[in-house]
Amino acid sequence: MRLIPRGRRATTAAAASTLVLALALGSQAMASPAPDAPTETAESSAAAQTPRQYQVSGLSSPEERTELARAGAAIDEVHGDSVVITADRSEAERLRALGYELAELPSALDDDPTAAAPADYHTYEETLAAVDAAVAEHPDLVSSQVIGESYQGTGIVAVKISDNVGVDEDEPEVLFTHNQHAREHLTVEMALYTLEELTSQYGSDPEITELLDTREVWLIPSANPDGKTYDTESGSFRNWRKNRQPNSGSSAVGTDLNRNWDYEWGCCGGSSGSPGSETYRGPSPESAPETVVIADFVRGRVVDGEQQITAHIDFHTYSELVLWPYGFTYDETAPGLTQDDADAFEALGVAMADTNGYTPQQSSDLYITDGTINDWLWADQGIFSYTFEMYPTSSLEGGFYPPGSVIDRETSRNREAVLMLMEYADCVYRIIGAEAEYCSA
Ligand code: CXA
Ligand code: CA
Ligand code: CA
Ligand code: ZN
């Protein structure tokens, strides 16, 4: 996709004047609106609903961060005594009213000519074209299927990569999901990298050849095509996270797909019940069609009572982290997650992080989340499920919108970790030497 800076520039004057108006209204004006306050125009309303990033200072523990998350903020970065969040204007004001100290961060949404344009990132359409090209080039190795539709009726696609791809062989299956969060475009590039690397190296790289001869790989390049397209279709970034499903009784659009999964949904203050929140969990588990499509796909991989998928990575940006369950509790062990499970999760998580330089940790070390794909895949399906938060580590390096020049480096950075997950897919417990106990036939 080539987004033309001209397009962004053309909207700048209007956007800037709206911003000035909004700033002039300020927080005092909001507290007691003047009787002659100008009526909100469609434009100023759009600006007010465009989420942006804020630094929130004075938070240093998981408990303090969870309290902020409980208030509905999406936490983008965790530092020693501060975090970076995404919020729209009204949410930011609400958090300030709760006593949080918010400082607006500069953003790629501003008219900064040095900020990354989404040029060089594939649109969803271009992503599907790349998948089709791979299928055409390697028909015995790659197949693709539409596994269902997004809210707006866009096909969600699963790509299979394996020897004898047309046959459902008795081989451990591995799943990679991408782009639950709309603005995390680098994750779609990660899917295309994996597709390209596995297919181009099959038959020449012995490790990849062996793995594809003995594993079946599933890639879902975008779990949220509506959100992805919405985020860039105007020619400037919208900083969009959720899907594009309307919410009844609210003008706020979208559900956070990674809070909509059906395990301990909404249990623990790790998501929001307010449609306007960036972490809105939806009215019920699997209320988002995108969640249902992927959950049904996974449930469909149960053959003769046995889940075929053993290992999974859900790709996100950003922060350079390897995360594992549970997210809903701080505890290392909990119902359905024994000490051996926790040890295996940690050992493989640490080993993968050794290859890409990310920081490995249980996800609740950051803050509590509930209704995530990782918790559901583990607790409900018994799949060793990780989240990778890709490049960068901070908003200063582009945050959700790093320049296209980093794509090759930051996708290939995960080559060894992806292959390692595939390697251990026959028995993840092997990494703690417990294969006899857990994996003998
Ligand atoms: C995350 C992912 C999975 C389990 C716990 C935490 C982090 C993720 C999120 O909050 O869903 N961060 S992100 N990509 O910025 O939204
Ligand atoms: Ca095969
Ligand atoms: Ca199979
Ligand atoms: Zn994400």
Side-chain angles (χ1 to χ4, degrees):
M1 154 170 65
R2 303 276 155 199
L3 285 195
I4 304 135
R6 236 181 318 115
R8 298 174 62 214
R9 215 160 274 286
T11 60
T12 300
S17 62
T18 326
L19 182 65
V20 169
L21 172 64
L23 288 174
L25 284 171
S27 50
Q28 307 97 310
M30 305 279 254
S32 55
D36 60 347
T39 322
E40 211 182 26
T41 63
E43 226 170 23
S44 65
S45 154
Q49 286 185 26
T50 299
R52 61 178 302 145
Q53 288 187 307
Y54 300 83
Q55 180 126 32
V56 188
S57 45
L59 304 163
S60 53
S61 67
E63 289 80 4
E64 287 171 324
R65 293 189 290 266
T66 297
E67 201 179 306
L68 176 65
R70 191 188 292 268
I75 298 178
D76 304 330
E77 291 176 38
V78 170
H79 302 283
D81 58 0
S82 68
V83 299
V84 172
I85 64 163
T86 296
D88 69 15
R89 201 172 296 283
S90 74
E91 208 186 355
E93 286 313 319
R94 204 168 52 75
L95 293 171
R96 282 183 173 129
L98 287 171
Y100 288 105
E101 216 179 288
L102 270 62
E104 227 174 79
L105 288 174
S107 121
L109 297 164
D110 301 334
D111 184 34
D112 173 0
T114 65
D120 304 331
Y121 287 82
H122 290 74
T123 63
Y124 189 59
E125 225 179 297
E126 290 165 345
T127 302
L128 296 189
V131 167
D132 289 346
V135 173
E137 202 182 333
H138 308 276
D140 298 328
L141 196 62
V142 187
S143 69
S144 80
Q145 61 191 94
V146 175
I147 58 172
E149 289 184 358
S150 67
Y151 176 78
Q152 292 175 336
T154 308
I156 296 174
V157 166
V159 183
K160 183 183 173 189
I161 314 168
S162 185
D163 73 324
N164 307 318
V165 70
V167 184
D168 183 2
E169 297 189 293
D170 187 12
E171 299 168 341
E173 300 184 18
V174 179
L175 175 67
F176 299 104
T177 54
H178 304 254
N179 196 210
Q180 281 203 80
H181 292 144
R183 62 191 167 188
E184 300 171 8
H185 302 281
L186 186 59
T187 67
V188 178
E189 305 303 319
M190 183 66 219
L192 293 176
Y193 167 78
T194 302
L195 176 61
E196 168 65 21
E197 184 66 11
L198 294 181
T199 56
S200 69
Q201 299 305 307
Y202 182 75
S204 53
D205 179 300
E207 184 184 11
I208 286 177
T209 306
E210 168 71 14
L211 285 171
L212 289 182
D213 283 347
T214 57
R215 308 282 185 267
E216 293 179 318
V217 176
W218 296 101
L219 287 178
I220 298 178
S222 176
N224 185 4
D226 297 349
K228 174 174 172 62
T229 299
Y230 177 75
D231 192 52
T232 53
E233 69 188 352
S234 74
S236 60
F237 303 111
R238 285 177 159 138
N239 219 356
W240 196 254
R241 170 181 172 94
K242 300 187 283 181
N243 75 350
R244 292 297 298 163
Q245 184 175 15
N247 293 303
S248 70
S250 168
S251 63
V253 172
T255 294
D256 182 348
L257 298 179
N258 205 27
R259 299 294 184 278
N260 190 236
W261 296 80
D262 193 7
Y263 183 71
E264 294 289 6
W265 176 85
C267 69
C268 301
S271 60
S272 171
S274 306
S277 165
E278 288 292 299
T279 56
Y280 179 50
R281 68 178 79 100
S284 55
E286 295 190 17
S287 57
E290 296 85 355
T291 313
V292 179
V293 165
I294 297 170
D296 279 348
F297 171 76
V298 170
R299 286 185 282 252
R301 295 316 305 147
V302 175
V303 177
D304 295 334
E306 196 182 342
Q307 174 56 254
Q308 301 298 296
I309 301 170
T310 60
H312 164 255
I313 299 172
D314 189 39
F315 284 93
H316 289 252
T317 65
Y318 62 93
S319 284
E320 300 183 8
L321 304 170
V322 172
L323 304 174
W324 57 83
Y326 283 131
F328 79 88
T329 174
Y330 296 119
D331 296 341
E332 193 184 358
T333 61
L337 205 164
T338 67
Q339 191 63 54
D340 279 356
D341 301 335
D343 289 347
F345 262 117
E346 177 170 359
L348 181 54
V350 166
M352 290 191 293
D354 275 346
T355 70
N356 61 14
Y358 291 5
T359 301
Q361 57 193 335
Q362 185 178 340
S363 72
S364 54
D365 290 354
L366 294 173
Y367 47 88
I368 293 291
T369 55
D370 46 50
T372 68
I373 190 172
N374 296 146
D375 283 7
W376 183 77
L377 282 176
W378 174 255
D380 201 77
Q381 299 292 317
I383 296 170
F384 277 91
S385 175
Y386 292 86
T387 286
F388 277 22
E389 293 269 11
M390 296 176 68
Y391 179 89
T393 56
S394 98
S395 65
L396 300 174
E397 299 154 290
F400 294 107
Y401 303 105
S405 57
V406 310
I407 292 174
D408 286 351
R409 186 189 71 208
E410 294 300 332
T411 54
S412 61
R413 181 175 178 180
N414 287 315
R415 183 184 192 274
E416 302 315 316
V418 161
L419 296 181
M420 183 177 288
L421 188 89
M422 289 169 61
E423 167 73 31
Y424 278 101
D426 65 315
C427 181
V428 173
Y429 294 100
R430 189 152 48 83
I431 201 158
I432 56 165
E435 60 270 40
E437 196 174 342
Y438 291 97
C439 307
S440 48

